[in-house]
Amino acid sequence: MALQCFKLLEKALLNTVSKGRHDIQRISGVLLGNTFTRCLPTQAALPKVAPEQEVLTDSSIQNIAVKNEIMANVNKQLKENSQGRLFAVIQLCGKQFKVTTEDLIIVEGYWDPQAGDKIKMEKVLLVGSSDFTMVGRPLLPSSLVHVEGTVIEKSLSHIKTHFRKIRRKQYQRMNFYRSPFTFVRINAVEVRGAVNERKDVEGVEGRIF
């Protein structure tokens, strides 16, 4: 009688709990008296309910309108020359400098330009003012941004010490050296032309590859 009751209970559980074959074997093993460490599941299998989905509206038209408004404001400031003092991030001799008009930067190491030479910075990564910032990907076109500097002095650094020692080998050397420095004065940081306006026909002149 007891065995029949166990079989009926096992059949009812197998019909109500929709689990995999492995879990069914575990449940039947517990009912039949076999030793398993895991007992019946704590929670019955519930039907999966899809989470609430958020419907996104197409905002491409709105984004284009905002973009056009920003470009118009920037072009208006550039046309009226009311953008104020501009700053730029340039790459020179493998290093990046944040510069503005009348700044003085020091380029360390040997560099060809001599005192009095004017240099146009071709690698301009960023130009901005108090109201807007233009970021290159990775560089801004040279026809849009103009950054110019003048070499004012070629000099040497202070005396530096280079000390080498290998312990327990009776090896010890001390040398002194000076690094060449080039001082560059930034003459102008300008934005020439309108932003986001391209010519009908463009060549490769002024492009950096």
Side-chain angles (χ1 to χ4, degrees):
M1 183 64 118
L3 184 60
Q4 291 179 357
C5 292
F6 275 117
K7 287 184 177 181
L8 290 174
L9 182 59
E10 178 186 3
K11 192 173 182 181
L13 285 173
L14 293 178
N15 291 334
T16 55
V17 181
S18 59
K19 301 296 273 182
R21 183 178 179 182
H22 189 62
D23 291 340
I24 292 173
Q25 288 178 355
R26 286 185 177 181
I27 295 169
S28 61
V30 171
L31 293 175
L32 293 176
N34 296 335
T35 57
F36 289 95
T37 57
R38 185 174 179 181
C39 297
L40 290 172
T42 56
Q43 294 182 353
L46 299 176
K48 294 184 178 180
V49 179
E52 297 182 1
Q53 297 182 358
E54 183 181 358
V55 179
L56 299 177
T57 58
D58 186 11
S59 60
S60 58
I61 300 176
Q62 183 178 2
N63 291 339
I64 291 173
V66 172
K67 175 185 173 183
N68 292 336
E69 183 181 357
I70 293 172
M71 293 297 178
N73 292 334
V74 173
N75 289 330
K76 181 181 178 181
Q77 288 189 16
L78 294 174
K79 187 176 181 180
E80 297 175 353
N81 199 16
S82 61
Q83 73 275 6
R85 192 182 185 91
L86 294 176
F87 68 91
V89 176
I90 62 173
Q91 183 174 343
L92 193 62
C93 295
K95 295 183 180 180
Q96 294 182 10
F97 301 89
K98 180 185 176 183
V99 298
T100 184
T101 309
E102 301 300 328
D103 271 1
L104 183 67
I105 60 176
I106 301 174
V107 180
E108 185 176 358
Y110 176 77
W111 199 29
D112 266 344
Q114 300 300 316
D117 292 349
K118 289 188 176 182
I119 303 168
K120 181 183 178 183
M121 313 300 176
E122 296 286 351
K123 296 184 178 180
V124 183
L125 287 76
L126 180 147
V127 169
S129 70
S130 58
D131 294 333
F132 65 88
T133 302
M134 293 184 289
V135 182
R137 297 185 299 178
L139 302 176
L140 291 169
S142 58
S143 59
L144 178 64
V145 180
H146 178 77
V147 180
E148 184 182 297
T150 303
V151 179
I152 60 174
E153 186 181 349
K154 303 277 288 187
S155 181
L156 295 174
S157 67
H158 65 280
I159 298 175
K160 302 177 184 179
T161 305
H162 184 203
F163 179 72
R164 294 171 294 169
K165 179 180 179 180
I166 302 178
R167 58 182 181 174
R168 296 187 297 273
K169 300 299 181 183
Q170 291 77 44
Y171 180 87
Q172 182 173 316
R173 297 290 185 272
M174 182 180 292
N175 295 324
F176 302 95
Y177 69 100
R178 300 175 72 184
S179 301
F181 277 178
T182 304
F183 296 85
V184 181
R185 177 76 68 184
I186 303 299
N187 298 332
V189 178
E190 301 173 352
V191 177
R192 298 178 174 178
V195 181
N196 203 32
E197 290 185 7
R198 295 185 177 181
K199 300 178 182 178
D200 296 336
V201 178
E202 291 187 352
V204 295
E205 299 176 358
R207 295 292 182 89
I208 300 174
F209 297 97

